[in-house]
Amino acid sequence: MALIEFTNKGIYCKQGNFYIDPWQPVDKAVITHGHADHAKWGNKNYLCHTLTKPILTERYGLIDNVETLPYQKTIDINGVKLTLFPAGHVIGSAQIKLEYKGEIVVVSGDYKTEYDGISTAFEPVKCHTFVTESTFGLPIYKWEPQQQIFDNIKNWVAGNLQKNKTSILVAYSLGKAQRLIKHLADNHPIYVHQTIANLNLAFADAGVNLPTTIKINPEIKKDELQKGLVIVPPALADSKWIKSLINPAIGICSGWMAVRAGRRWRSADAGFALSDHADWPGLLTAIKATEAEKVMVTHGSTAIFSRYLNEIGISAQEVKTQYGDEEEAEEEVDENEIKEEGTKI
């Protein structure tokens, strides 16, 4: 009997009777991380890493029905040994290792192999079957070292200050925003949208220390924002509020900026290829390190990436799922939040 199967509700472990990152409500959901395309509202019970619980609580108000685990602690669910290992994607992100009657399956969720200074570094886990993403599963995607990217951002912000422009970085409120705050805080005051501020507070309550930021509110004057750095989620990239700032300069922080001149890029002044996903070399390095006999590719460039793995001697197959780019998933959350609260930002 296969340890996991792909159903219309998500990845299902029949022996353990639980789902991993289900996209429809289920009784027992094991969550790899807090992005909205992997952690859905409405499940009866949740199991996740200790640092993913604050995200679920902040976004969905869940408290009593969330069980947590630290990394590398094994629990038994109906005879299935379940262990969480670091995925390096965002704070609290985890790979799910399942072991039953000698068979080992690892479901990675989303991951990156470069340590970002906040998330626990990715740790490859040997297994028989490895479920991988392939968001950037094309040879054209190869990230620059993150310090080089942060240096480029710092130079861009410095140039904007000289030109009396307001620097605005567009980044996911979970993961990317915290990386920017961590690595750019020593240079200028950082102003953040309330979605980002709320998540930062949730992490602070969980013992994660981040540099001090200022939540944007109507009392903050636009010339004050001009002297610092503004970070907002993707939902606000084209907003009237940004256009109302003093000489706004918009920088998009996304792996897609490595090659894509998309709709966001056309409305921006700069693009920085900062990603929380593994690039092509990172994906290949991670997969080879697992020594998996079978690889299942769940989302991204699935057809091309799985074909390449087969060509180099790694048995792989493409699997259709509803996981996607968390930029789009987060936009839905942020737009609803703006409508409900009726704020200007």
Side-chain angles (χ1 to χ4, degrees), residues 309-339:
L309 290 175
N310 283 302
E311 288 174 355
I312 63 174
I314 299 174
S315 178
Q317 71 178 79
E318 178 184 6
V319 181
K320 298 296 183 182
T321 65
Q322 295 186 21
Y323 308 128
D325 182 358
E326 60 263 16
E327 177 174 357
E328 299 303 324
E330 281 211 346
E331 268 191 44
E332 294 177 5
V333 173
D334 288 329
E335 286 174 344
N336 289 335
E337 182 178 306
I338 292 167
K339 290 176 184 176

mmCIF file of all heavy atoms in Angstrom, residues 309-339:
data_model
loop_
_atom_site.group_PDB
_atom_site.id
_atom_site.type_symbol
_atom_site.label_atom_id
_atom_site.label_comp_id
_atom_site.label_asym_id
_atom_site.label_seq_id
_atom_site.Cartn_x
_atom_site.Cartn_y
_atom_site.Cartn_z
ATOM 1 N N LEU A 309 14.492 15.228 -14.679
ATOM 2 C CA LEU A 309 14.917 14.279 -13.652
ATOM 3 C C LEU A 309 14.983 12.864 -14.214
ATOM 4 O O LEU A 309 15.940 12.116 -13.945
ATOM 5 C CB LEU A 309 13.950 14.329 -12.458
ATOM 6 C CG LEU A 309 13.975 15.594 -11.598
ATOM 7 C CD1 LEU A 309 12.888 15.545 -10.531
ATOM 8 C CD2 LEU A 309 15.346 15.792 -10.942
ATOM 9 N N ASN A 310 13.989 12.494 -15.014
ATOM 10 C CA ASN A 310 14.017 11.174 -15.638
ATOM 11 C C ASN A 310 15.203 11.018 -16.587
ATOM 12 O O ASN A 310 15.832 9.958 -16.656
ATOM 13 C CB ASN A 310 12.704 10.900 -16.383
ATOM 14 C CG ASN A 310 11.568 10.535 -15.437
ATOM 15 O OD1 ASN A 310 11.674 9.571 -14.688
ATOM 16 N ND2 ASN A 310 10.489 11.300 -15.474
ATOM 17 N N GLU A 311 15.528 12.093 -17.291
ATOM 18 C CA GLU A 311 16.651 12.052 -18.236
ATOM 19 C C GLU A 311 17.985 11.836 -17.541
ATOM 20 O O GLU A 311 18.904 11.242 -18.109
ATOM 21 C CB GLU A 311 16.686 13.343 -19.051
ATOM 22 C CG GLU A 311 15.562 13.449 -20.082
ATOM 23 C CD GLU A 311 15.532 14.796 -20.771
ATOM 24 O OE1 GLU A 311 16.343 15.692 -20.372
ATOM 25 O OE2 GLU A 311 14.717 14.982 -21.689
ATOM 26 N N ILE A 312 18.113 12.323 -16.290
ATOM 27 C CA ILE A 312 19.384 12.149 -15.571
ATOM 28 C C ILE A 312 19.349 10.929 -14.643
ATOM 29 O O ILE A 312 20.217 10.764 -13.791
ATOM 30 C CB ILE A 312 19.767 13.413 -14.776
ATOM 31 C CG1 ILE A 312 18.738 13.712 -13.684
ATOM 32 C CG2 ILE A 312 19.953 14.597 -15.721
ATOM 33 C CD1 ILE A 312 19.143 14.875 -12.775
ATOM 34 N N GLY A 313 18.327 10.101 -14.813
ATOM 35 C CA GLY A 313 18.305 8.838 -14.087
ATOM 36 C C GLY A 313 17.570 8.836 -12.763
ATOM 37 O O GLY A 313 17.685 7.878 -11.989
ATOM 38 N N ILE A 314 16.801 9.901 -12.482
ATOM 39 C CA ILE A 314 16.007 9.946 -11.252
ATOM 40 C C ILE A 314 14.544 9.749 -11.628
ATOM 41 O O ILE A 314 13.964 10.555 -12.356
ATOM 42 C CB ILE A 314 16.190 11.289 -10.515
ATOM 43 C CG1 ILE A 314 17.652 11.475 -10.111
ATOM 44 C CG2 ILE A 314 15.288 11.354 -9.278
ATOM 45 C CD1 ILE A 314 17.951 12.840 -9.500
ATOM 46 N N SER A 315 13.941 8.664 -11.171
ATOM 47 C CA SER A 315 12.549 8.362 -11.512
ATOM 48 C C SER A 315 11.630 9.438 -10.953
ATOM 49 O O SER A 315 11.592 9.674 -9.742
ATOM 50 C CB SER A 315 12.157 7.000 -10.947
ATOM 51 O OG SER A 315 10.802 6.716 -11.237
ATOM 52 N N ALA A 316 10.905 10.106 -11.839
ATOM 53 C CA ALA A 316 10.058 11.229 -11.414
ATOM 54 C C ALA A 316 8.758 11.228 -12.184
ATOM 55 O O ALA A 316 8.684 10.759 -13.323
ATOM 56 C CB ALA A 316 10.791 12.548 -11.625
ATOM 57 N N GLN A 317 7.722 11.770 -11.556
ATOM 58 C CA GLN A 317 6.440 11.938 -12.219
ATOM 59 C C GLN A 317 5.796 13.244 -11.809
ATOM 60 O O GLN A 317 5.987 13.742 -10.700
ATOM 61 C CB GLN A 317 5.504 10.759 -11.917
ATOM 62 C CG GLN A 317 4.975 10.712 -10.499
ATOM 63 C CD GLN A 317 4.028 9.557 -10.279
ATOM 64 O OE1 GLN A 317 4.454 8.415 -10.094
ATOM 65 N NE2 GLN A 317 2.727 9.841 -10.305
ATOM 66 N N GLU A 318 5.044 13.800 -12.731
ATOM 67 C CA GLU A 318 4.321 15.051 -12.504
ATOM 68 C C GLU A 318 2.998 14.748 -11.820
ATOM 69 O O GLU A 318 2.292 13.810 -12.193
ATOM 70 C CB GLU A 318 4.079 15.722 -13.855
ATOM 71 C CG GLU A 318 3.310 17.005 -13.818
ATOM 72 C CD GLU A 318 3.038 17.535 -15.214
ATOM 73 O OE1 GLU A 318 3.349 16.836 -16.207
ATOM 74 O OE2 GLU A 318 2.478 18.647 -15.305
ATOM 75 N N VAL A 319 2.660 15.533 -10.781
ATOM 76 C CA VAL A 319 1.409 15.353 -10.064
ATOM 77 C C VAL A 319 0.657 16.685 -10.043
ATOM 78 O O VAL A 319 1.231 17.720 -9.694
ATOM 79 C CB VAL A 319 1.650 14.861 -8.617
ATOM 80 C CG1 VAL A 319 0.311 14.670 -7.909
ATOM 81 C CG2 VAL A 319 2.449 13.572 -8.603
ATOM 82 N N LYS A 320 -0.607 16.654 -10.395
ATOM 83 C CA LYS A 320 -1.415 17.872 -10.410
ATOM 84 C C LYS A 320 -1.917 18.193 -9.005
ATOM 85 O O LYS A 320 -2.490 17.346 -8.334
ATOM 86 C CB LYS A 320 -2.600 17.714 -11.352
ATOM 87 C CG LYS A 320 -2.211 17.483 -12.809
ATOM 88 C CD LYS A 320 -1.474 18.669 -13.398
ATOM 89 C CE LYS A 320 -1.169 18.444 -14.879
ATOM 90 N NZ LYS A 320 -0.394 19.579 -15.456
ATOM 91 N N THR A 321 -1.685 19.408 -8.548
ATOM 92 C CA THR A 321 -2.171 19.868 -7.250
ATOM 93 C C THR A 321 -2.702 21.288 -7.395
ATOM 94 O O THR A 321 -2.600 21.890 -8.464
ATOM 95 C CB THR A 321 -1.055 19.856 -6.185
ATOM 96 O OG1 THR A 321 -0.056 20.818 -6.555
ATOM 97 C CG2 THR A 321 -0.418 18.475 -6.058
ATOM 98 N N GLN A 322 -3.229 21.821 -6.305
ATOM 99 C CA GLN A 322 -3.734 23.190 -6.311
ATOM 100 C C GLN A 322 -2.779 24.174 -5.647
ATOM 101 O O GLN A 322 -3.148 25.310 -5.383
ATOM 102 C CB GLN A 322 -5.110 23.243 -5.630
ATOM 103 C CG GLN A 322 -6.179 22.473 -6.387
ATOM 104 C CD GLN A 322 -7.568 22.643 -5.796
ATOM 105 O OE1 GLN A 322 -7.844 23.603 -5.081
ATOM 106 N NE2 GLN A 322 -8.450 21.710 -6.095
ATOM 107 N N TYR A 323 -1.549 23.726 -5.367
ATOM 108 C CA TYR A 323 -0.577 24.667 -4.812
ATOM 109 C C TYR A 323 -0.104 25.588 -5.923
ATOM 110 O O TYR A 323 -0.104 25.236 -7.097
ATOM 111 C CB TYR A 323 0.617 23.918 -4.209
ATOM 112 C CG TYR A 323 0.223 22.849 -3.229
ATOM 113 C CD1 TYR A 323 0.709 21.561 -3.353
ATOM 114 C CD2 TYR A 323 -0.669 23.131 -2.199
ATOM 115 C CE1 TYR A 323 0.330 20.568 -2.458
ATOM 116 C CE2 TYR A 323 -1.056 22.151 -1.307
ATOM 117 C CZ TYR A 323 -0.552 20.869 -1.440
ATOM 118 O OH TYR A 323 -0.936 19.888 -0.562
ATOM 119 N N GLY A 324 0.310 26.790 -5.542
ATOM 120 C CA GLY A 324 0.722 27.730 -6.572
ATOM 121 C C GLY A 324 1.668 28.765 -6.041
ATOM 122 O O GLY A 324 2.411 28.531 -5.093
ATOM 123 N N ASP A 325 1.622 29.942 -6.674
ATOM 124 C CA ASP A 325 2.480 31.049 -6.283
ATOM 125 C C ASP A 325 1.820 31.775 -5.120
ATOM 126 O O ASP A 325 0.715 32.308 -5.248
ATOM 127 C CB ASP A 325 2.657 31.999 -7.473
ATOM 128 C CG ASP A 325 3.587 33.157 -7.171
ATOM 129 O OD1 ASP A 325 4.064 33.253 -6.026
ATOM 130 O OD2 ASP A 325 3.834 33.958 -8.086
ATOM 131 N N GLU A 326 2.482 31.811 -3.963
ATOM 132 C CA GLU A 326 1.853 32.416 -2.787
ATOM 133 C C GLU A 326 1.603 33.909 -2.963
ATOM 134 O O GLU A 326 0.840 34.510 -2.222
ATOM 135 C CB GLU A 326 2.691 32.183 -1.523
ATOM 136 C CG GLU A 326 4.076 32.745 -1.562
ATOM 137 C CD GLU A 326 5.102 31.689 -1.965
ATOM 138 O OE1 GLU A 326 4.727 30.640 -2.495
ATOM 139 O OE2 GLU A 326 6.295 31.949 -1.767
ATOM 140 N N GLU A 327 2.205 34.548 -3.965
ATOM 141 C CA GLU A 327 1.910 35.956 -4.209
ATOM 142 C C GLU A 327 0.428 36.138 -4.503
ATOM 143 O O GLU A 327 -0.235 37.015 -3.963
ATOM 144 C CB GLU A 327 2.723 36.480 -5.392
ATOM 145 C CG GLU A 327 2.408 37.931 -5.733
ATOM 146 C CD GLU A 327 3.311 38.499 -6.796
ATOM 147 O OE1 GLU A 327 4.231 37.792 -7.239
ATOM 148 O OE2 GLU A 327 3.099 39.651 -7.173
ATOM 149 N N GLU A 328 -0.123 35.266 -5.368
ATOM 150 C CA GLU A 328 -1.534 35.377 -5.701
ATOM 151 C C GLU A 328 -2.406 35.025 -4.498
ATOM 152 O O GLU A 328 -3.413 35.666 -4.237
ATOM 153 C CB GLU A 328 -1.860 34.446 -6.876
ATOM 154 C CG GLU A 328 -1.092 34.783 -8.151
ATOM 155 C CD GLU A 328 -1.329 36.207 -8.612
ATOM 156 O OE1 GLU A 328 -2.460 36.699 -8.467
ATOM 157 O OE2 GLU A 328 -0.391 36.844 -9.113
ATOM 158 N N ALA A 329 -2.007 33.994 -3.743
ATOM 159 C CA ALA A 329 -2.792 33.592 -2.577
ATOM 160 C C ALA A 329 -2.821 34.695 -1.536
ATOM 161 O O ALA A 329 -3.857 34.986 -0.943
ATOM 162 C CB ALA A 329 -2.210 32.309 -1.980
ATOM 163 N N GLU A 330 -1.685 35.340 -1.311
ATOM 164 C CA GLU A 330 -1.626 36.398 -0.308
ATOM 165 C C GLU A 330 -2.401 37.627 -0.772
ATOM 166 O O GLU A 330 -2.975 38.347 0.024
ATOM 167 C CB GLU A 330 -0.176 36.777 -0.013
ATOM 168 C CG GLU A 330 0.505 35.795 0.919
ATOM 169 C CD GLU A 330 1.543 36.468 1.779
ATOM 170 O OE1 GLU A 330 1.919 37.606 1.484
ATOM 171 O OE2 GLU A 330 1.978 35.847 2.751
ATOM 172 N N GLU A 331 -2.433 37.872 -2.085
ATOM 173 C CA GLU A 331 -3.174 39.024 -2.570
ATOM 174 C C GLU A 331 -4.641 38.923 -2.179
ATOM 175 O O GLU A 331 -5.262 39.892 -1.793
ATOM 176 C CB GLU A 331 -3.057 39.120 -4.096
ATOM 177 C CG GLU A 331 -1.902 39.989 -4.534
ATOM 178 C CD GLU A 331 -1.958 40.295 -6.007
ATOM 179 O OE1 GLU A 331 -3.043 40.616 -6.516
ATOM 180 O OE2 GLU A 331 -0.908 40.221 -6.653
ATOM 181 N N GLU A 332 -5.221 37.732 -2.283
ATOM 182 C CA GLU A 332 -6.619 37.561 -1.937
ATOM 183 C C GLU A 332 -6.861 37.918 -0.476
ATOM 184 O O GLU A 332 -7.814 38.596 -0.138
ATOM 185 C CB GLU A 332 -7.041 36.109 -2.195
ATOM 186 C CG GLU A 332 -7.014 35.742 -3.670
ATOM 187 C CD GLU A 332 -7.352 34.287 -3.887
ATOM 188 O OE1 GLU A 332 -7.701 33.613 -2.890
ATOM 189 O OE2 GLU A 332 -7.272 33.821 -5.035
ATOM 190 N N VAL A 333 -5.964 37.472 0.408
ATOM 191 C CA VAL A 333 -6.105 37.765 1.832
ATOM 192 C C VAL A 333 -6.017 39.261 2.075
ATOM 193 O O VAL A 333 -6.840 39.847 2.765
ATOM 194 C CB VAL A 333 -5.005 37.035 2.642
ATOM 195 C CG1 VAL A 333 -5.047 37.476 4.104
ATOM 196 C CG2 VAL A 333 -5.194 35.532 2.541
ATOM 197 N N ASP A 334 -5.029 39.902 1.462
ATOM 198 C CA ASP A 334 -4.818 41.320 1.728
ATOM 199 C C ASP A 334 -5.937 42.193 1.162
ATOM 200 O O ASP A 334 -6.357 43.164 1.770
ATOM 201 C CB ASP A 334 -3.473 41.766 1.143
ATOM 202 C CG ASP A 334 -2.312 41.211 1.941
ATOM 203 O OD1 ASP A 334 -2.463 41.019 3.162
ATOM 204 O OD2 ASP A 334 -1.275 40.944 1.342
ATOM 205 N N GLU A 335 -6.438 41.853 -0.010
ATOM 206 C CA GLU A 335 -7.510 42.639 -0.600
ATOM 207 C C GLU A 335 -8.769 42.553 0.254
ATOM 208 O O GLU A 335 -9.447 43.557 0.472
ATOM 209 C CB GLU A 335 -7.790 42.135 -2.018
ATOM 210 C CG GLU A 335 -6.712 42.536 -3.016
ATOM 211 C CD GLU A 335 -6.934 41.910 -4.377
ATOM 212 O OE1 GLU A 335 -7.709 40.948 -4.481
ATOM 213 O OE2 GLU A 335 -6.305 42.397 -5.324
ATOM 214 N N ASN A 336 -9.081 41.374 0.753
ATOM 215 C CA ASN A 336 -10.243 41.231 1.628
ATOM 216 C C ASN A 336 -10.063 42.065 2.893
ATOM 217 O O ASN A 336 -10.997 42.692 3.377
ATOM 218 C CB ASN A 336 -10.447 39.760 1.998
ATOM 219 C CG ASN A 336 -10.937 38.953 0.808
ATOM 220 O OD1 ASN A 336 -11.538 39.504 -0.109
ATOM 221 N ND2 ASN A 336 -10.664 37.669 0.815
ATOM 222 N N GLU A 337 -8.847 42.037 3.422
ATOM 223 C CA GLU A 337 -8.564 42.771 4.653
ATOM 224 C C GLU A 337 -8.771 44.265 4.439
ATOM 225 O O GLU A 337 -9.350 44.957 5.273
ATOM 226 C CB GLU A 337 -7.121 42.492 5.067
ATOM 227 C CG GLU A 337 -6.714 43.158 6.361
ATOM 228 C CD GLU A 337 -5.292 42.794 6.729
ATOM 229 O OE1 GLU A 337 -4.977 41.604 6.798
ATOM 230 O OE2 GLU A 337 -4.500 43.725 6.931
ATOM 231 N N ILE A 338 -8.338 44.761 3.289
ATOM 232 C CA ILE A 338 -8.483 46.183 2.987
ATOM 233 C C ILE A 338 -9.966 46.555 2.878
ATOM 234 O O ILE A 338 -10.417 47.559 3.409
ATOM 235 C CB ILE A 338 -7.750 46.530 1.679
ATOM 236 C CG1 ILE A 338 -6.239 46.385 1.895
ATOM 237 C CG2 ILE A 338 -8.077 47.935 1.234
ATOM 238 C CD1 ILE A 338 -5.449 46.395 0.606
ATOM 239 N N LYS A 339 -10.742 45.690 2.205
ATOM 240 C CA LYS A 339 -12.167 45.961 2.046
ATOM 241 C C LYS A 339 -12.891 45.953 3.381
ATOM 242 O O LYS A 339 -13.735 46.801 3.651
ATOM 243 C CB LYS A 339 -12.773 44.918 1.116
ATOM 244 C CG LYS A 339 -12.335 45.038 -0.343
ATOM 245 C CD LYS A 339 -12.897 43.903 -1.170
ATOM 246 C CE LYS A 339 -12.375 43.967 -2.594
ATOM 247 N NZ LYS A 339 -12.853 42.805 -3.390
#
